[in-house]
PDB file of all heavy atoms in Angstrom:
ATOM      1  N   LEU B 110      48.141 -36.217 135.813  1.00 74.00           N
ATOM      2  CA  LEU B 110      46.854 -36.006 135.152  1.00 74.00           C
ATOM      3  C   LEU B 110      46.599 -37.043 134.064  1.00 74.00           C
ATOM      4  O   LEU B 110      45.451 -37.375 133.777  1.00 74.00           O
ATOM      5  CB  LEU B 110      46.778 -34.596 134.567  1.00 74.00           C
ATOM      6  CG  LEU B 110      46.682 -33.475 135.603  1.00 74.00           C
ATOM      7  CD1 LEU B 110      46.736 -32.121 134.915  1.00 74.00           C
ATOM      8  CD2 LEU B 110      45.421 -33.602 136.439  1.00 74.00           C
ATOM      9  N   LEU B 111      47.655 -37.546 133.462  1.00 71.00           N
ATOM     10  CA  LEU B 111      47.493 -38.551 132.414  1.00 71.00           C
ATOM     11  C   LEU B 111      47.257 -39.946 132.979  1.00 71.00           C
ATOM     12  O   LEU B 111      46.602 -40.767 132.367  1.00 71.00           O
ATOM     13  CB  LEU B 111      48.722 -38.571 131.506  1.00 71.00           C
ATOM     14  CG  LEU B 111      48.880 -37.360 130.618  1.00 71.00           C
ATOM     15  CD1 LEU B 111      50.186 -37.432 129.852  1.00 71.00           C
ATOM     16  CD2 LEU B 111      47.709 -37.238 129.660  1.00 71.00           C
ATOM     17  N   ILE B 112      47.797 -40.222 134.140  1.00 71.00           N
ATOM     18  CA  ILE B 112      47.744 -41.576 134.665  1.00 71.00           C
ATOM     19  C   ILE B 112      46.644 -41.777 135.702  1.00 71.00           C
ATOM     20  O   ILE B 112      45.958 -42.790 135.691  1.00 71.00           O
ATOM     21  CB  ILE B 112      49.119 -41.960 135.259  1.00 71.00           C
ATOM     22  CG1 ILE B 112      50.116 -42.090 134.122  1.00 71.00           C
ATOM     23  CG2 ILE B 112      49.035 -43.232 136.062  1.00 71.00           C
ATOM     24  CD1 ILE B 112      51.521 -42.312 134.580  1.00 71.00           C
ATOM     25  N   TYR B 113      46.470 -40.844 136.589  1.00 72.00           N
ATOM     26  CA  TYR B 113      45.607 -41.048 137.743  1.00 72.00           C
ATOM     27  C   TYR B 113      44.197 -41.542 137.399  1.00 72.00           C
ATOM     28  O   TYR B 113      43.753 -42.554 137.928  1.00 72.00           O
ATOM     29  CB  TYR B 113      45.533 -39.785 138.598  1.00 72.00           C
ATOM     30  CG  TYR B 113      44.544 -39.912 139.716  1.00 72.00           C
ATOM     31  CD1 TYR B 113      44.785 -40.760 140.788  1.00 72.00           C
ATOM     32  CD2 TYR B 113      43.340 -39.232 139.683  1.00 72.00           C
ATOM     33  CE1 TYR B 113      43.867 -40.915 141.807  1.00 72.00           C
ATOM     34  CE2 TYR B 113      42.416 -39.382 140.697  1.00 72.00           C
ATOM     35  CZ  TYR B 113      42.694 -40.217 141.745  1.00 72.00           C
ATOM     36  OH  TYR B 113      41.783 -40.368 142.736  1.00 72.00           O
ATOM     37  N   PRO B 114      43.476 -40.866 136.520  1.00 80.00           N
ATOM     38  CA  PRO B 114      42.078 -41.289 136.349  1.00 80.00           C
ATOM     39  C   PRO B 114      41.863 -42.380 135.294  1.00 80.00           C
ATOM     40  O   PRO B 114      40.892 -42.350 134.566  1.00 80.00           O
ATOM     41  CB  PRO B 114      41.385 -39.994 135.937  1.00 80.00           C
ATOM     42  CG  PRO B 114      42.419 -39.253 135.177  1.00 80.00           C
ATOM     43  CD  PRO B 114      43.736 -39.633 135.802  1.00 80.00           C
ATOM     44  N   THR B 115      42.758 -43.366 135.191  1.00 90.00           N
ATOM     45  CA  THR B 115      42.568 -44.433 134.210  1.00 90.00           C
ATOM     46  C   THR B 115      41.569 -45.442 134.753  1.00 90.00           C
ATOM     47  O   THR B 115      41.802 -46.084 135.776  1.00 90.00           O
ATOM     48  CB  THR B 115      43.905 -45.116 133.875  1.00 90.00           C
ATOM     49  OG1 THR B 115      44.801 -44.131 133.365  1.00 90.00           O
ATOM     50  CG2 THR B 115      43.722 -46.212 132.847  1.00 90.00           C
ATOM     51  N   LYS B 116      40.434 -45.555 134.051  1.00 94.00           N
ATOM     52  CA  LYS B 116      39.399 -46.498 134.474  1.00 94.00           C
ATOM     53  C   LYS B 116      38.524 -46.864 133.288  1.00 94.00           C
ATOM     54  O   LYS B 116      38.539 -46.190 132.247  1.00 94.00           O
ATOM     55  CB  LYS B 116      38.556 -45.923 135.601  1.00 94.00           C
ATOM     56  CG  LYS B 116      37.854 -44.626 135.283  1.00 94.00           C
ATOM     57  CD  LYS B 116      37.178 -44.074 136.526  1.00 94.00           C
ATOM     58  CE  LYS B 116      36.710 -42.658 136.297  1.00 94.00           C
ATOM     59  NZ  LYS B 116      36.177 -42.076 137.515  1.00 94.00           N
ATOM     60  N   TYR B 117      37.774 -47.929 133.469  1.00 96.00           N
ATOM     61  CA  TYR B 117      36.912 -48.472 132.424  1.00 96.00           C
ATOM     62  C   TYR B 117      35.515 -48.606 133.018  1.00 96.00           C
ATOM     63  O   TYR B 117      35.355 -49.198 134.085  1.00 96.00           O
ATOM     64  CB  TYR B 117      37.445 -49.829 131.952  1.00 96.00           C
ATOM     65  CG  TYR B 117      38.957 -49.807 131.833  1.00 96.00           C
ATOM     66  CD1 TYR B 117      39.746 -50.454 132.775  1.00 96.00           C
ATOM     67  CD2 TYR B 117      39.577 -49.089 130.825  1.00 96.00           C
ATOM     68  CE1 TYR B 117      41.129 -50.397 132.695  1.00 96.00           C
ATOM     69  CE2 TYR B 117      40.957 -49.032 130.739  1.00 96.00           C
ATOM     70  CZ  TYR B 117      41.724 -49.687 131.686  1.00 96.00           C
ATOM     71  OH  TYR B 117      43.087 -49.624 131.612  1.00 96.00           O
ATOM     72  N   ILE B 118      34.528 -48.056 132.333  1.00 97.00           N
ATOM     73  CA  ILE B 118      33.172 -47.993 132.868  1.00 97.00           C
ATOM     74  C   ILE B 118      32.225 -48.709 131.912  1.00 97.00           C
ATOM     75  O   ILE B 118      32.192 -48.390 130.716  1.00 97.00           O
ATOM     76  CB  ILE B 118      32.716 -46.522 133.037  1.00 97.00           C
ATOM     77  CG1 ILE B 118      33.711 -45.773 133.930  1.00 97.00           C
ATOM     78  CG2 ILE B 118      31.303 -46.456 133.587  1.00 97.00           C
ATOM     79  CD1 ILE B 118      33.610 -44.270 133.847  1.00 97.00           C
ATOM     80  N   ILE B 119      31.489 -49.675 132.442  1.00 97.00           N
ATOM     81  CA  ILE B 119      30.437 -50.314 131.657  1.00 97.00           C
ATOM     82  C   ILE B 119      29.152 -49.580 131.987  1.00 97.00           C
ATOM     83  O   ILE B 119      28.697 -49.579 133.129  1.00 97.00           O
ATOM     84  CB  ILE B 119      30.334 -51.824 131.986  1.00 97.00           C
ATOM     85  CG1 ILE B 119      31.617 -52.524 131.567  1.00 97.00           C
ATOM     86  CG2 ILE B 119      29.112 -52.427 131.296  1.00 97.00           C
ATOM     87  CD1 ILE B 119      31.670 -54.003 131.919  1.00 97.00           C
ATOM     88  N   ASP B 120      28.598 -48.924 130.966  1.00 96.00           N
ATOM     89  CA  ASP B 120      27.411 -48.099 131.127  1.00 96.00           C
ATOM     90  C   ASP B 120      26.371 -48.557 130.105  1.00 96.00           C
ATOM     91  O   ASP B 120      26.419 -48.148 128.949  1.00 96.00           O
ATOM     92  CB  ASP B 120      27.756 -46.627 130.935  1.00 96.00           C
ATOM     93  CG  ASP B 120      26.557 -45.705 131.112  1.00 96.00           C
ATOM     94  OD1 ASP B 120      25.567 -46.136 131.733  1.00 96.00           O
ATOM     95  OD2 ASP B 120      26.614 -44.563 130.616  1.00 96.00           O
ATOM     96  N   GLY B 121      25.466 -49.440 130.538  1.00 94.00           N
ATOM     97  CA  GLY B 121      24.474 -49.976 129.613  1.00 94.00           C
ATOM     98  C   GLY B 121      25.170 -50.817 128.554  1.00 94.00           C
ATOM     99  O   GLY B 121      25.862 -51.778 128.852  1.00 94.00           O
ATOM    100  N   ASP B 122      25.019 -50.429 127.275  1.00 95.00           N
ATOM    101  CA  ASP B 122      25.649 -51.153 126.167  1.00 95.00           C
ATOM    102  C   ASP B 122      26.961 -50.495 125.749  1.00 95.00           C
ATOM    103  O   ASP B 122      27.497 -50.783 124.686  1.00 95.00           O
ATOM    104  CB  ASP B 122      24.693 -51.203 124.962  1.00 95.00           C
ATOM    105  CG  ASP B 122      25.275 -52.009 123.809  1.00 95.00           C
ATOM    106  OD1 ASP B 122      25.788 -53.117 124.068  1.00 95.00           O
ATOM    107  OD2 ASP B 122      25.259 -51.521 122.672  1.00 95.00           O
ATOM    108  N   ASN B 123      27.491 -49.618 126.564  1.00 97.00           N
ATOM    109  CA  ASN B 123      28.725 -48.923 126.196  1.00 97.00           C
ATOM    110  C   ASN B 123      29.849 -49.220 127.178  1.00 97.00           C
ATOM    111  O   ASN B 123      29.627 -49.325 128.379  1.00 97.00           O
ATOM    112  CB  ASN B 123      28.504 -47.409 126.155  1.00 97.00           C
ATOM    113  CG  ASN B 123      27.614 -47.007 125.013  1.00 97.00           C
ATOM    114  OD1 ASN B 123      27.887 -47.316 123.874  1.00 97.00           O
ATOM    115  ND2 ASN B 123      26.506 -46.342 125.331  1.00 97.00           N
ATOM    116  N   LEU B 124      31.048 -49.319 126.622  1.00 97.00           N
ATOM    117  CA  LEU B 124      32.261 -49.394 127.417  1.00 97.00           C
ATOM    118  C   LEU B 124      32.948 -48.045 127.262  1.00 97.00           C
ATOM    119  O   LEU B 124      33.298 -47.638 126.150  1.00 97.00           O
ATOM    120  CB  LEU B 124      33.175 -50.518 126.918  1.00 97.00           C
ATOM    121  CG  LEU B 124      34.572 -50.556 127.528  1.00 97.00           C
ATOM    122  CD1 LEU B 124      34.501 -50.743 129.043  1.00 97.00           C
ATOM    123  CD2 LEU B 124      35.393 -51.654 126.882  1.00 97.00           C
ATOM    124  N   LEU B 125      33.078 -47.323 128.376  1.00 97.00           N
ATOM    125  CA  LEU B 125      33.740 -46.029 128.366  1.00 97.00           C
ATOM    126  C   LEU B 125      35.133 -46.216 128.926  1.00 97.00           C
ATOM    127  O   LEU B 125      35.306 -46.790 130.003  1.00 97.00           O
ATOM    128  CB  LEU B 125      32.964 -45.021 129.215  1.00 97.00           C
ATOM    129  CG  LEU B 125      31.472 -44.894 128.910  1.00 97.00           C
ATOM    130  CD1 LEU B 125      30.783 -44.040 129.960  1.00 97.00           C
ATOM    131  CD2 LEU B 125      31.273 -44.318 127.538  1.00 97.00           C
ATOM    132  N   ILE B 126      36.120 -45.737 128.193  1.00 96.00           N
ATOM    133  CA  ILE B 126      37.511 -45.857 128.613  1.00 96.00           C
ATOM    134  C   ILE B 126      38.017 -44.458 128.899  1.00 96.00           C
ATOM    135  O   ILE B 126      37.955 -43.581 128.030  1.00 96.00           O
ATOM    136  CB  ILE B 126      38.350 -46.545 127.528  1.00 96.00           C
ATOM    137  CG1 ILE B 126      37.789 -47.946 127.285  1.00 96.00           C
ATOM    138  CG2 ILE B 126      39.817 -46.586 127.929  1.00 96.00           C
ATOM    139  CD1 ILE B 126      38.354 -48.631 126.073  1.00 96.00           C
ATOM    140  N   ARG B 127      38.503 -44.252 130.114  1.00 93.00           N
ATOM    141  CA  ARG B 127      38.993 -42.931 130.505  1.00 93.00           C
ATOM    142  C   ARG B 127      40.440 -43.053 130.972  1.00 93.00           C
ATOM    143  O   ARG B 127      40.754 -43.842 131.850  1.00 93.00           O
ATOM    144  CB  ARG B 127      38.144 -42.356 131.626  1.00 93.00           C
ATOM    145  CG  ARG B 127      38.612 -40.983 132.024  1.00 93.00           C
ATOM    146  CD  ARG B 127      37.644 -40.292 132.941  1.00 93.00           C
ATOM    147  NE  ARG B 127      38.177 -38.965 133.208  1.00 93.00           N
ATOM    148  CZ  ARG B 127      38.217 -38.420 134.402  1.00 93.00           C
ATOM    149  NH1 ARG B 127      37.723 -39.055 135.424  1.00 93.00           N
ATOM    150  NH2 ARG B 127      38.726 -37.226 134.562  1.00 93.00           N
ATOM    151  N   CYS B 128      41.295 -42.281 130.343  1.00 88.00           N
ATOM    152  CA  CYS B 128      42.714 -42.257 130.698  1.00 88.00           C
ATOM    153  C   CYS B 128      43.193 -40.823 130.551  1.00 88.00           C
ATOM    154  O   CYS B 128      43.409 -40.347 129.438  1.00 88.00           O
ATOM    155  CB  CYS B 128      43.515 -43.188 129.802  1.00 88.00           C
ATOM    156  SG  CYS B 128      45.263 -43.221 130.206  1.00 88.00           S
ATOM    157  N   GLY B 129      43.309 -40.133 131.680  1.00 81.00           N
ATOM    158  CA  GLY B 129      43.696 -38.732 131.617  1.00 81.00           C
ATOM    159  C   GLY B 129      42.649 -37.928 130.876  1.00 81.00           C
ATOM    160  O   GLY B 129      41.465 -37.990 131.185  1.00 81.00           O
ATOM    161  N   PHE B 130      43.086 -37.213 129.857  1.00 80.00           N
ATOM    162  CA  PHE B 130      42.162 -36.396 129.070  1.00 80.00           C
ATOM    163  C   PHE B 130      41.524 -37.189 127.936  1.00 80.00           C
ATOM    164  O   PHE B 130      40.641 -36.705 127.249  1.00 80.00           O
ATOM    165  CB  PHE B 130      42.892 -35.182 128.490  1.00 80.00           C
ATOM    166  CG  PHE B 130      43.470 -34.295 129.562  1.00 80.00           C
ATOM    167  CD1 PHE B 130      44.842 -34.125 129.681  1.00 80.00           C
ATOM    168  CD2 PHE B 130      42.653 -33.651 130.460  1.00 80.00           C
ATOM    169  CE1 PHE B 130      45.372 -33.318 130.668  1.00 80.00           C
ATOM    170  CE2 PHE B 130      43.166 -32.839 131.451  1.00 80.00           C
ATOM    171  CZ  PHE B 130      44.538 -32.679 131.555  1.00 80.00           C
ATOM    172  N   GLN B 131      41.992 -38.407 127.711  1.00 85.00           N
ATOM    173  CA  GLN B 131      41.477 -39.241 126.630  1.00 85.00           C
ATOM    174  C   GLN B 131      40.233 -39.989 127.090  1.00 85.00           C
ATOM    175  O   GLN B 131      40.199 -40.560 128.171  1.00 85.00           O
ATOM    176  CB  GLN B 131      42.555 -40.237 126.205  1.00 85.00           C
ATOM    177  CG  GLN B 131      42.110 -41.196 125.141  1.00 85.00           C
ATOM    178  CD  GLN B 131      43.164 -42.258 124.856  1.00 85.00           C
ATOM    179  OE1 GLN B 131      44.233 -42.283 125.446  1.00 85.00           O
ATOM    180  NE2 GLN B 131      42.849 -43.152 123.946  1.00 85.00           N
ATOM    181  N   ARG B 132      39.219 -39.964 126.234  1.00 91.00           N
ATOM    182  CA  ARG B 132      37.998 -40.717 126.506  1.00 91.00           C
ATOM    183  C   ARG B 132      37.587 -41.435 125.232  1.00 91.00           C
ATOM    184  O   ARG B 132      37.637 -40.862 124.155  1.00 91.00           O
ATOM    185  CB  ARG B 132      36.876 -39.786 126.957  1.00 91.00           C
ATOM    186  CG  ARG B 132      37.101 -39.268 128.362  1.00 91.00           C
ATOM    187  CD  ARG B 132      36.059 -38.237 128.746  1.00 91.00           C
ATOM    188  NE  ARG B 132      36.173 -37.803 130.099  1.00 91.00           N
ATOM    189  CZ  ARG B 132      37.132 -37.030 130.590  1.00 91.00           C
ATOM    190  NH1 ARG B 132      38.108 -36.626 129.821  1.00 91.00           N
ATOM    191  NH2 ARG B 132      37.144 -36.665 131.849  1.00 91.00           N
ATOM    192  N   LYS B 133      37.192 -42.695 125.375  1.00 94.00           N
ATOM    193  CA  LYS B 133      36.753 -43.467 124.218  1.00 94.00           C
ATOM    194  C   LYS B 133      35.508 -44.239 124.599  1.00 94.00           C
ATOM    195  O   LYS B 133      35.402 -44.757 125.707  1.00 94.00           O
ATOM    196  CB  LYS B 133      37.864 -44.420 123.785  1.00 94.00           C
ATOM    197  CG  LYS B 133      37.521 -45.210 122.533  1.00 94.00           C
ATOM    198  CD  LYS B 133      38.768 -45.790 121.922  1.00 94.00           C
ATOM    199  CE  LYS B 133      38.476 -46.497 120.634  1.00 94.00           C
ATOM    200  NZ  LYS B 133      38.278 -45.634 119.503  1.00 94.00           N
TER     201      LYS B 133
END
């Protein structure tokens, strides 16, 4: 659960970082 969904999303002017339950 911590490793599988690690991805980086460019959404308009935002960079969304998703790693497990962590989101930035």
